[in-house]
Structures are given as structure tokens and as C-alpha cells.
Amino acid sequence: FRDGQTQILVSTTVVEVGVDVPNASVMLIENAERFGLSQLHQLRGRVGRGAEKSYCILMTHPKATADARQRLNVMEQSQDGFLIAEMDMRLRGPGEVMGMRQSGVPDFVLASLVEDKEILILARDAAEKVIKKDPTLERWPVLKSELDKRYQKLLGGAILT
């Protein structure tokens, strides 16, 4: 494909990293509604690297949800990777900070990663100061107990010993 001996490449999403073929000018992504917008943006970036006009066609399942179509409209409207990533997080949710889920509503009760960015930075800075002064949280037994209860299974044992 790179040498021009064949005109079609069928691939998995592995092409999103490191494939640089300037003469690639058309990409068709099946079931585009299943991908995150940042991943679609990366995939789209694999075409249009040469002089020829390029196209990235996002094909969806006929029964794609309204939410999926709304997300894919972001791809039509923007080439800005930062805006696309922020919209993806707003629409799909950021997932778990400490866990495996890559989308969905996090465990935060009072904060939004997008709208409350400044206060979350202040909270992180305050938490770092507490940990620096008291790394095992001996002076904060309720906090230590709650952290252990929530995260010890995920991290494979007590987290603050």
C-alpha cells in the first residue's frame, strides 16, 4: 500500500498510530458510533497527508442513537483535537479516574471534570499538601479508612500503610 502496489488497505484501528502514507486519500470507518471522538480524530488524521484532496467517511449503524449522531456531528464541525476531546468527555462522560471504564459518569458526587476544573485543581493541591505532611494519613483516620474501602480492591491491598 505504501509503495502504491495496491490501492486498498483493510485494517483494524492499529492504523491510528504511526501509519504515514501521503497518497492515502479516502478512509471509511464502519460503525463509527462505537468509537470515541478522539480516536476518530486520530484515524481521520491518517488521510490527507499528501497533495490530493482527502475524505474520511464515517458510516454508522442504521439504528445509531441520537446521542451517537450528536457526537459524530462534532467530527463534521471541527478539526480541533482539543475541542473534539472536550466535547467527547462532555457527551460520553470522562469514565473512572481510578478504574477501567473509559466513558460514563465518574464517581464524583459534586464535581464535573469540565465545569469544575479550577476547584478540582485546588482540591488536588490541598490533597498533595496533606499527603506530603502525613503520607500514611495517621492524623486523618476517617479519610484513610474511606480511601482503603474504595480503592484497596482496585489497587490490590491497603493503599496507605
Side-chain angles (χ1 to χ4, degrees):
F1 182 70
R2 183 182 309 260
D3 296 336
Q5 294 175 7
T6 184
Q7 299 298 308
I8 296 174
L9 173 66
V10 177
S11 175
T12 66
T13 55
V14 70
V15 298
E16 88 177 273
V17 288
V19 173
D20 185 8
V21 181
N23 63 332
S25 59
V26 178
M27 177 179 286
L28 170 67
I29 302 172
E30 289 186 291
N31 297 312
E33 75 278 3
R34 292 180 164 185
F35 296 92
L37 295 182
S38 296
Q39 187 174 27
L40 288 172
H41 180 66
Q42 285 290 328
L43 287 165
R44 175 173 64 184
R46 299 298 112 193
V47 294
R49 293 171 169 246
E52 289 188 48
K53 186 170 178 147
S54 66
Y55 302 89
C56 180
I57 302 161
L58 304 177
M59 191 165 74
T60 63
H61 188 278
K63 294 182 181 178
T65 66
D67 289 343
R69 293 186 186 282
Q70 180 184 12
R71 284 188 324 99
L72 294 175
N73 284 337
V74 172
M75 294 297 295
E76 290 180 43
Q77 304 300 318
S78 181
Q79 297 283 327
D80 180 340
F82 291 108
L83 174 71
I84 290 168
E86 183 176 322
M87 290 304 296
D88 199 26
M89 185 169 62
R90 284 179 189 264
L91 295 169
R92 289 195 320 151
E96 295 174 319
V97 174
M98 299 281 290
M100 301 297 287
R101 285 185 312 140
Q102 294 184 9
S103 66
V105 179
D107 294 336
F108 296 142
V109 176
L110 299 174
S112 160
L113 289 175
V114 176
E115 280 84 23
D116 300 319
K117 180 180 174 184
E118 292 83 12
I119 193 77
L120 289 170
I121 289 170
L122 290 172
R124 181 204 58 206
D125 293 346
E128 286 175 349
K129 287 178 185 175
V130 168
I131 292 293
K132 190 173 186 176
K133 288 181 182 178
D134 185 7
T136 60
L137 296 178
E138 294 304 321
R139 292 186 279 176
W140 304 90
V142 174
L143 176 59
K144 180 178 180 173
S145 173
E146 185 63 29
L147 288 171
D148 276 340
K149 183 171 68 178
R150 286 184 185 212
Y151 300 113
Q152 74 180 169
K153 182 178 179 185
L154 177 69
L155 298 173
I159 61 172
L160 298 168
T161 55

